[in-house]
Amino acid sequence: MKIIILGAGQVGSSVAANLVSEANDITVIDTNPDCLQNLSDRFDLRTIVGVASHPSVLANAGAKDADMILAVTNSDETNMIACQVAYTLFHTPTKIARVRNNEYLKHTALFSQEALPIDVLISPEQVVTEYIEKLIGFPGALQVLDFANGKAQMVAVSAHFYGPLAGKNVSDVCSKLPEIEIRIVAIFRAGNRLFRMAAQKLNQTMKYFLSVPRKIFVHSLKT
């Protein structure tokens, strides 16, 4: 796959490092020649010094034949304009952009195909905010993951020292908490997954993952 990455900062460099190892044809554009030199010294990829949203720079990078453009410069405006240019002039199939300023994000109509043709919108700050909101919604949770469009969730928790699960076998969890529809799907200790779960006794050194309906509150497991 031919991929053009706009921005050689931390995000762009990290993505380039991961994608180039998968035998993709990678080109990175940035205004900082030192960042680009560092990348080209480490990886087998092409670099171009220039403003990422300029049509001539994108053309030189091969936007006409690119399968994807990933716009992750430090400028929201550059990222958005680059996607528009890629769509209008080069018909690039997939356009991904990082946009961080809520002045743009709160107007969702801006990111429709009829406006700014961005296929995938990346907003790190929004992702962090939504993640924190999930944790607030599940007091005591270490991690919350959505499945089936949010209808079900996987929640990571640890057994509170005096909680109802401490010292109990996994096989006893459902019977100890009959009012809560949960299922333990994985248990980890010190980063290692434990098998034969039914025989495991839960304690505060473990991190365990539960599949739960959306409206289950994890503090029920810890009080």
Side-chain angles (χ1 to χ4, degrees), residues 17-221:
N18 286 313
L19 294 180
V20 77
S21 63
E22 299 176 8
N24 293 299
D25 181 0
I26 306 296
T27 300
V28 182
I29 301 173
D30 200 279
T31 56
N32 189 327
D34 293 333
C35 289
L36 293 176
Q37 185 63 50
N38 181 49
L39 272 177
S40 61
D41 288 344
R42 295 161 52 205
F43 305 109
D44 181 19
L45 46 73
R46 184 184 177 209
T47 61
I48 294 177
V49 179
V51 178
S53 59
H54 285 183
S56 59
V57 175
L58 289 170
N60 189 29
K64 183 178 180 180
D65 302 318
D67 299 295
M68 177 188 299
I69 282 184
L70 175 62
V72 289
T73 74
N74 290 326
S75 167
D76 289 350
E77 292 75 14
T78 297
N79 295 339
M80 292 188 291
I81 293 172
C83 287
Q84 181 69 71
V85 172
Y87 173 79
T88 303
L89 298 183
F90 304 109
H91 310 293
T92 306
T94 303
K95 300 158 293 296
I96 302 172
R98 178 174 67 171
V99 178
R100 296 174 291 181
N101 195 319
N102 194 52
E103 280 296 317
Y104 299 121
L105 295 173
K106 66 184 179 182
H107 299 290
T108 55
L110 284 174
F111 305 104
S112 66
Q113 288 296 309
E114 295 76 22
L116 288 168
I118 297 173
D119 300 299
V120 180
L121 187 65
I122 302 172
S123 173
E125 286 77 7
Q126 188 174 34
V127 169
V128 170
T129 300
E130 291 174 354
Y131 186 75
I132 291 172
E133 288 175 348
K134 287 181 181 178
L135 291 181
I136 292 173
F138 287 84
L142 305 173
Q143 188 175 2
V144 181
L145 303 172
D146 282 331
F147 293 91
N149 295 319
K151 294 179 181 178
Q153 294 177 308
M154 184 177 293
V155 181
V157 295
S158 59
H160 191 274
F161 188 78
Y162 296 106
L165 301 186
K168 303 295 189 301
N169 288 339
V170 170
S171 58
D172 296 331
V173 169
C174 291
S175 61
K176 297 295 181 182
L177 299 167
E179 73 283 3
I180 302 177
E181 184 184 348
I182 63 172
R183 179 182 179 187
I184 297 180
V185 296
I187 303 176
F188 289 81
R189 180 191 288 131
N192 297 312
R193 183 174 180 179
L194 303 180
F195 296 92
R196 299 180 60 189
M197 291 195 303
Q200 297 290 340
K201 287 188 179 295
L202 299 174
N203 61 64
Q204 63 271 26
T205 68
M206 296 177 175
K207 178 179 180 181
Y208 50 101
F209 289 81
L210 313 172
S211 64
V212 298
R214 185 172 180 82
K215 293 185 179 180
I216 294 298
F217 292 99
V218 174
H219 63 68
S220 298
L221 305 177

